[in-house]
Amino acid sequence: KGLRASGLRTGLYTSPHFQDWRERIQVDGQWAGDVILEAALRDVLEASSGEETFFDLLTAAAFLVFSRAEVDFWVVEVGLGGRLDSTNVVQPLASVVTSVELEHEDVLGPGLANIAREKAGIFKPGVPAWAGEGIPSEALAVLVEASPGLRISSGPGGEFLPHAPARANWILARCVLEALPEVGAQAAKAFEALSAEDLVLPGRWDVRTLPDGRIVVLDNAHSVASLVQVLHTFRASFPEKQRGLVLGLRDDKDAEAIAAALGSPLEGESWFCAPAGEHPRSANPNTIASGFGATALSSPTLPEGPEVLLVTGSTYLVGAVLDSLAQSA
């Protein structure tokens, strides 16, 4: 957003999506137009060997869209890990690791060191490598070994954002922007002028008002550390309200570890476990609810009662609730 605010044209590629896969490919902050997207997909499929994954094909289509739109900068988020990710064919101006947490160990390997090693795979010789603050020392050592010149974001800023991870990412984004050749100072200044409302992203500390006047906060936190942080922020943001937590997990998550880290509902707080949308690997809410002191929900719905609700734990759950809110609008 800092690049766009400074007058530069951008292509943005993210994953996964919440409601529509077209969310993943954006030009100048908007979904890529259907005509240019259709043409890119057709060309990618014609060149396909038939062995590529959905993510591989969509990544190639995104890169075609950005090239044909002649944007000034591409901002590309890896899908999983980084080292073997299909996004890793680019030669970037900067490589950024925002955090390293225990997640996707079935794919990236057990432990923080293995996960960090996969993430460090995006570092390229001669390209500035960045890392966010607060990365565990075990993981940070791996990142530094992969890129001895690793830059750690630091400095003040982002205090106007309610969520600690958002504040840390704000500082990291400003540092990376400032270091960009030629446009860095201009982009960083434009970024610093953005308000909290300008920086809201769907499904990421996304605060909405329901038709009945209640408040719902949607956040796709899904690791132990991020779930602990989002629950802490939720409690601090709404201390006098009757709060409700709606949690959904995939079946590859360690529900016992998450339950131990989150603790128990506070007085006046109600917890619920819901399916992670319609994902086939959703954890059964009836199976995990007791471990959280929660009530099981049969569908990803918003329960009656609490004045303010936090929906978290799964991108698929957040997407399902976003769909429901859009249909009721």
Side-chain angles (χ1 to χ4, degrees), residues 27 36 61-71 74:
V27 174
I36 189 172
F63 291 177
L64 270 183
V65 167
F66 299 160
S67 178
R68 290 169 179 176
E70 298 182 339
V71 298
W74 299 13

Side-chain angles (χ1 to χ4, degrees), residues 13-25 37 40-41 44-45 48-63 79-80 85-87 279 316:
Y13 183 57
T14 61
S15 65
H17 60 270
F18 289 105
Q19 297 173 267
D20 189 310
W21 62 266
R22 291 174 296 174
E23 297 169 21
R24 301 182 182 215
I25 305 173
L37 186 56
L41 285 168
V44 166
L45 289 172
S48 168
S49 68
E51 299 180 357
E52 299 85 358
T53 66
F54 166 80
F55 184 80
D56 295 335
L57 297 171
L58 207 57
T59 299
F63 291 177
L80 185 62
D85 199 87
S86 53
T87 59
H279 198 279
Y316 305 102

Side-chain angles (χ1 to χ4, degrees), residues 253-261 292:
K253 298 298 181 183
D254 188 339
E256 291 186 3
I258 292 172
F292 290 89

Side-chain angles (χ1 to χ4, degrees), residues 19 208 210-211 299-302 317-329:
Q19 297 173 267
R208 305 193 180 207
L210 300 175
S299 61
T301 55
L302 298 178
L317 172 59
V318 170
V321 173
L322 283 170
D323 278 334
S324 177
L325 293 178
Q327 291 169 12
S328 63

Side-chain angles (χ1 to χ4, degrees), residues 56-136:
D56 295 335
L57 297 171
L58 207 57
T59 299
F63 291 177
L64 270 183
V65 167
F66 299 160
S67 178
R68 290 169 179 176
E70 298 182 339
V71 298
D72 299 309
F73 283 87
W74 299 13
V75 179
V76 178
E77 179 184 20
V78 304
L80 185 62
R83 182 175 67 91
L84 300 178
D85 199 87
S86 53
T87 59
N88 202 19
V89 298
V90 297
Q91 181 67 18
L93 292 172
S95 300
V96 183
V97 174
T98 59
S99 63
V100 181
E101 301 178 48
L102 288 174
E103 57 179 339
H104 306 299
E105 291 181 89
D106 56 329
V107 177
L108 303 180
L112 290 170
N114 280 317
I115 294 170
R117 194 166 294 109
E118 292 300 315
K119 292 198 173 192
I122 65 172
F123 296 161
K124 303 289 196 304
V127 176
W130 287 89
E133 288 185 300
I135 291 177

